Amino acid sequence: MSKAKKKRDLIKILDETIKISKKKGNGILKFLANADEKGNLISYSLTYINPNIFNEDNGRVLGYDNEHGYHHRHYMGKIERINFSTFEKIQECFEKDWREIHEKFKK
């Protein structure tokens, strides 16, 4: 099956963008997740973008995703492999990391 066909067959289960006002710390949170027709998670990307904190990597301060065939975490331009158990656990890790970063830099 071609890559284009695979992308079309995916079902978007999460697609949300939240803009954070300058007053509340600035930035953008993006949440994307796709499943196959059986509901199995295929791809995900959880991202915090704020070029005021980090201007490389298109402003991505923090990100968790499984692009490039493995689960990993982006933090200020560095990439590290992560263990994947469930998408919910990844969401929890992202939320914890994001809140710590947000509190540190919103001042």
Side-chain angles (χ1 to χ4, degrees):
M1 187 181 312
S2 75
K3 202 172 198 176
K5 173 124 175 72
K6 284 182 185 178
K7 289 248 186 223
R8 281 196 310 257
D9 292 343
L10 295 179
I11 299 164
K12 199 168 281 191
I13 56 175
L14 180 62
D15 185 358
E16 186 175 1
T17 300
I18 300 169
K19 293 183 180 179
I20 304 165
S21 70
K22 286 185 181 183
K23 184 177 179 180
K24 293 188 177 181
N26 202 28
I28 298 170
L29 292 167
K30 286 187 171 188
F31 308 102
L32 301 168
N34 296 298
D36 64 16
E37 65 279 348
K38 295 177 183 175
N40 299 311
L41 180 69
I42 300 299
S43 62
Y44 66 89
S45 175
L46 310 173
T47 311
Y48 173 48
I49 299 165
N50 189 338
N52 293 333
I53 295 174
F54 184 71
N55 62 10
E56 295 175 33
D57 197 17
N58 297 314
R60 178 172 40 191
V61 177
L62 175 68
Y64 283 77
D65 66 73
N66 66 339
E67 290 295 318
H68 316 298
Y70 68 101
H71 302 278
H72 55 279
R73 174 184 183 257
H74 298 256
Y75 180 69
M76 303 253 198
K78 295 182 178 148
I79 299 172
E80 63 183 348
R81 283 185 178 267
I82 57 170
N83 292 324
F84 180 88
S85 58
T86 66
F87 182 59
E88 291 76 18
K89 289 282 186 194
I90 295 297
Q91 287 176 302
E92 288 173 14
C93 290
F94 177 83
E95 171 121 5
K96 178 183 172 288
D97 288 351
W98 174 76
R99 289 195 180 282
E100 288 174 5
I101 293 165
H102 187 252
E103 284 303 311
K104 180 178 177 182
F105 287 99
K106 80 175 183 179
K107 295 171 173 82

